[in-house]
Amino acid sequence: MATTSIADKLAKLERKIAKRQATIAEEQTQLDKELAEYDKLYLTALASKYKLSGKDLFSAIEREHEQLEKLREGEQSDDDTDSISTVGDTAVKHGSFPRNNMSEGALNE
């Protein structure tokens, strides 16, 4: 009866582990590329939907972020935020942002 030594089993497992790690690294690189492309397309869709240039979309998002930060810090009351309406504000209130549902593989509008 031939038995495999522990050293042989360890060497075999080390090769399998190294191969799996390489595969995971390749998959992660591919995933990162696809996520970056997805993000670009999503931003392009938003810019197109609201008829904004990339710079204007960035500015609108930046303003919304600043308003949210102020709300979190308690610098504005709810009445103050109701009087300030921007593209993102309206979109969020009416639920018109496309949903991020990767299982569907497309943007919902």
Side-chain angles (χ1 to χ4, degrees), residues 67-85:
Q67 285 182 352
L68 285 173
E69 289 300 314
K70 287 178 182 178
L71 282 173
R72 288 183 185 125
E73 295 170 3
E75 292 180 11
Q76 286 184 323
S77 69
D78 288 338
D79 294 334
D80 292 338
T81 57
D82 287 341
S83 66
I84 300 171
S85 180

Side-chain angles (χ1 to χ4, degrees), residues 14 19 22 32 40 83 93 97 107:
E14 286 172 355
K19 184 178 177 183
D32 292 344
K40 287 177 190 175
S83 66
K93 286 181 183 176
F97 272 129
L107 295 176

Side-chain angles (χ1 to χ4, degrees), residues 6 35 37 50 58 62 68 91:
I6 292 176
L35 286 171
E37 180 66 18
Y50 295 110
F58 179 83
E62 195 171 47
L68 285 173

Side-chain angles (χ1 to χ4, degrees), residues 3-107:
T3 65
T4 306
S5 73
I6 292 176
D8 290 341
K9 288 180 180 180
L10 285 172
K12 183 177 178 181
L13 279 173
E14 286 172 355
R15 286 190 300 274
K16 287 175 81 173
I17 290 168
K19 184 178 177 183
R20 190 169 308 270
Q21 287 174 327
T23 300
I24 290 170
E26 290 172 15
E27 288 292 321
Q28 187 63 52
T29 299
Q30 185 62 32
L31 176 62
D32 292 344
K33 287 178 185 176
E34 290 170 356
L35 286 171
E37 180 66 18
Y38 179 85
D39 289 344
K40 287 177 190 175
L41 290 172
Y42 202 89
L43 290 172
T44 300
L46 283 173
S48 176
K49 181 174 184 170
Y50 295 110
K51 296 172 180 50
L52 298 170
S53 69
K55 184 177 180 179
D56 291 339
L57 178 62
F58 179 83
S59 295
I61 292 170
E62 195 171 47
R63 281 191 309 272
E64 288 299 313
H65 180 71
E66 289 170 0
Q67 285 182 352
L68 285 173
E69 289 300 314
K70 287 178 182 178
L71 282 173
R72 288 183 185 125
E73 295 170 3
E75 292 180 11
Q76 286 184 323
S77 69
D78 288 338
D79 294 334
D80 292 338
T81 57
D82 287 341
S83 66
I84 300 171
S85 180
T86 62
V87 173
D89 230 6
T90 304
V92 171
K93 286 181 183 176
H94 300 289
S96 61
F97 272 129
R99 302 274 191 277
N100 183 0
N101 190 345
M102 302 214 21
S103 64
E104 291 181 22
L107 295 176

